């Protein structure tokens, strides 16, 4: 029996299911099956991105599920993202259309600017141009100009909602000053070791939902060091999990949910997909929430390598405190 995931009301009135399936690093020939299993278990919100290279397989899976009549298009919440090599205003539409064609849909529910930093592409948009030191070259594009092109996708009925990802509050503020359509979400890394409280509260004060990515600390990342903690073995989370008859992963997801975030987590295994959606039948106490918040160590895990090589970009988002 499929569980029902609660929805959050966005600042434009649309509803977003509060829990979604992440698909970054889900391998080819695994991701389509994961999407089908997830939908079978009650997931309706699926997160992907042009740069993940899996939109086509996800699109095939969605096509099957929709043609089987298991769900209707309007019950699904499909999210994808404009990659950094498409941020020049004249490239936005073609970047979006590639995603839409891959997904084989007429519209997406949410389209995000993947990050504030535009990158120069090489021969193809998937190749980022580098200098002789191997450093990626930035493209001289202001994300505000990108935003104004992305807004046209809403006007044309191609994206129901639009938002940003990996933006700091000053960058969002610049968008809000000119926006015809406000960003509905800022999708950022959030978990017990990186709580982002100031940015979360700032976004909430502007009715911008924070979508928490890597809520399980990007478990299984190949660049993890042996000494680094595993969220599923954290002593505090273990004790809280035991009290509720839940797992550490479920407590970490519940932590995001009770802070008002939408949360996206990736798995390609049915048992974990089930475990991760089974988080709406218990509640953390205020004391538990405060104690989990105290685990914060401002540890950016998911994107640590990726961000490290983009620190000199003029729109690098993390020089700001939040
Ligand atoms: N906007 C951005 O820049 C950005 C950046 C990063 C991520 N994201 C999005 O956010 C999604 C989630 O983040 P993420 O993929 O980095 O990591 P995550 O959800 O924190 O962790 C996923 C990893 O944890 C494992 N896992 C899942 N459920 C588990 C459970 N119940 N117990 C133990 N292990 C479990 C998965 O393995 P198995 O698959 O083997 O089960 C996978 O390796 C991404 O997939 C992507 O869609 C966006």
């Amino acid at each position: 029996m499929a569980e029902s995931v609660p929805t959050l009301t966005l600042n434009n009135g649309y509803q977003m299911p509060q829990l979604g399936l992440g698909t970054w690093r889900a391998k080819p020939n695994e991701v389509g099956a994961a999407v089908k299993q997830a939908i079978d278990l009650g997931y309706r919100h699926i997160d992907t991105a042009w740069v993940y290279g899996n939109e086509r397989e996800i699109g095939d899976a969605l096509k099957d599920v929709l043609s089987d009549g298991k769900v209707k298009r309007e019950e699904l919440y499909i999210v994808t993202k404009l990659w950094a090599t498409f941020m020049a205003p004249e490239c936005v539409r073609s970047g979006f259309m590639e995603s839409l064609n891959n997904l084989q849909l007429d519209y997406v529910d949410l389209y995000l600017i993947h990050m504030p930093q535009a990158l120069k592409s090489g021969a193809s948009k998937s190749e980022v141009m580098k200098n002789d030191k191997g450093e990626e070259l930035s493209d001289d594009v202001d994300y505000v100009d990108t935003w104004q092109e992305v807004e046209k996708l809403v006007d044309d009925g191609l994206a129901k909602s639009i938002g940003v990802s990996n933006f700091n509050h000053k960058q969002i503020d610049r968008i809000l000053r000119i926006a015809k359509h406000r960003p509905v979400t800022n999708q950022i890394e959030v978990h017990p070791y990186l709580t982002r409280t100031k940015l979360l509260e700032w976004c909430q004060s502007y009715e911008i939902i924070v979508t928490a990515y890597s809520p399980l600390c990007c478990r299984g990342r190949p660049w993890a060091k042996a000494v680094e903690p595993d969220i599923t073995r954290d002593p505090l989370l273990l004790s809280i999990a035991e009290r509720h008859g839940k797992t550490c992963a479920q407590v970490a997801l519940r932590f995001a949910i009770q802070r008002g975030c939408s949360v996206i987590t990736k798995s390609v295994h049915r048992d974990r997909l089930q475990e991760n959606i089974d988080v709406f039948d218990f509640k953390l106490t205020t004391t538990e929430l405060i104690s989990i918040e105290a685990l914060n160590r401002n540890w950016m895990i998911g994107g640590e390598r990726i961000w490290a090589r983009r620190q000199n970009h003029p729109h690098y988002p993390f020089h700001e405190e939040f």
Side-chain angles (χ1 to χ4, degrees):
M1 175 76 179
E3 305 240 359
S4 174
V5 173
T7 57
L8 295 171
T9 303
L10 305 175
N11 61 29
N12 58 5
Y14 284 110
Q15 302 285 314
M16 172 199 266
Q18 199 173 3
L19 178 95
L21 175 72
T23 62
W24 181 40
R25 298 186 300 122
K27 296 192 190 86
N29 301 320
E30 276 184 356
V31 68
V35 166
K36 286 184 184 179
Q37 300 226 33
I39 290 173
D40 191 41
L41 292 170
Y43 289 72
R44 295 294 176 261
H45 173 170
I46 312 288
D47 181 84
T48 183
W50 183 89
V51 76
Y52 301 167
N54 58 18
E55 289 172 321
R56 171 62 56 176
E57 188 174 331
I58 292 174
D60 289 343
L62 294 176
K63 200 171 157 194
D64 285 351
V65 170
L66 288 168
S67 64
D68 286 353
K70 285 196 178 138
V71 282
K72 298 195 190 84
R73 171 64 187 95
E74 57 273 24
E75 292 168 333
L76 293 174
Y77 196 87
I78 309 299
V79 185
T80 192
K81 313 182 191 91
L82 179 78
W83 181 232
T85 52
F86 288 103
M87 281 176 68
E90 66 278 13
C91 298
V92 167
R93 178 79 50 148
S94 64
F96 173 81
M97 287 313 295
E98 283 196 22
S99 290
L100 195 68
N101 291 334
N102 285 336
L103 290 166
Q104 302 158 64
L105 298 173
D106 300 328
Y107 68 91
V108 297
D109 295 277
L110 176 61
Y111 195 52
L112 305 177
I113 300 183
H114 205 141
M115 59 181 201
Q117 304 122 291
L119 297 175
K120 223 183 234 343
S121 68
S124 73
K125 288 286 181 192
S126 54
E127 184 200 334
V128 177
M129 207 185 269
K130 295 187 178 149
N131 64 18
D132 4 332
K133 288 189 209 144
E135 294 160 343
E136 291 172 338
L137 296 186
S138 30
D139 206 355
D140 184 21
V141 176
D142 185 340
Y143 50 81
V144 169
D145 297 330
T146 310
W147 183 259
Q148 289 182 311
E149 281 302 310
V150 169
E151 286 184 321
K152 295 178 187 164
L153 302 171
V154 179
D155 295 334
D156 295 345
L158 296 168
K160 299 269 184 211
S161 301
I162 51 178
V164 294
S165 178
N166 300 304
F167 276 50
N168 66 39
H169 80 286
K170 288 198 175 157
Q171 293 170 328
I172 300 174
D173 189 57
R174 283 191 67 223
I175 287 183
L176 288 176
R177 283 170 196 277
I178 54 88
K180 174 178 172 196
H181 301 293
R182 284 189 293 159
V184 298
T185 192
N186 185 21
Q187 187 183 112
I188 54 173
E189 182 175 339
V190 181
H191 45 71
Y193 303 140
L194 179 70
T195 51
R196 311 292 286 270
T197 305
K198 284 192 177 165
L199 184 53
L200 173 64
E201 287 175 354
W202 186 90
C203 286
Q204 287 174 341
S205 72
Y206 286 89
E207 299 179 302
I208 295 167
I209 302 271
V210 163
T211 302
Y213 75 66
S214 302
L216 305 181
C217 301
C218 198
R219 263 197 105 229
R221 62 196 180 281
W223 60 96
K225 301 182 192 91
V227 288
E228 288 172 353
D230 175 351
I231 190 105
T232 63
R233 296 208 180 88
D234 182 281
L236 176 74
L237 297 189
L238 272 172
S239 69
I240 295 174
E242 203 171 303
R243 214 175 295 147
H244 291 278
K246 291 286 177 181
T247 65
C248 286
Q250 289 170 320
V251 170
L253 296 173
R254 191 71 213 171
F255 174 64
I257 289 164
Q258 284 187 228
R259 296 175 89 214
C261 297
S262 162
V263 62
I264 44 175
T265 187
K266 174 254 173 190
S267 180
V268 293
H269 295 105
R270 191 176 176 94
D271 54 345
R272 286 176 172 172
L273 289 168
Q274 180 67 67
E275 178 182 333
N276 296 347
I277 201 174
D278 193 11
V279 289
F280 296 101
D281 59 352
F282 78 111
K283 216 170 164 191
L284 300 171
T285 65
T286 306
T287 314
E288 287 168 342
L289 286 170
I290 293 169
S291 65
I292 298 171
E293 241 184 287
L295 292 174
N296 181 42
R297 53 190 82 167
N298 294 323
W299 183 24
M300 205 165 270
I301 304 174
E304 66 183 349
R305 294 164 318 152
I306 301 166
W307 295 116
R309 61 174 193 256
R310 293 180 185 149
Q311 283 190 46
N312 297 326
H313 195 290
H315 297 306
Y316 180 75
F318 306 124
H319 294 314
E320 280 299 322
E321 185 198 354
F322 69 99

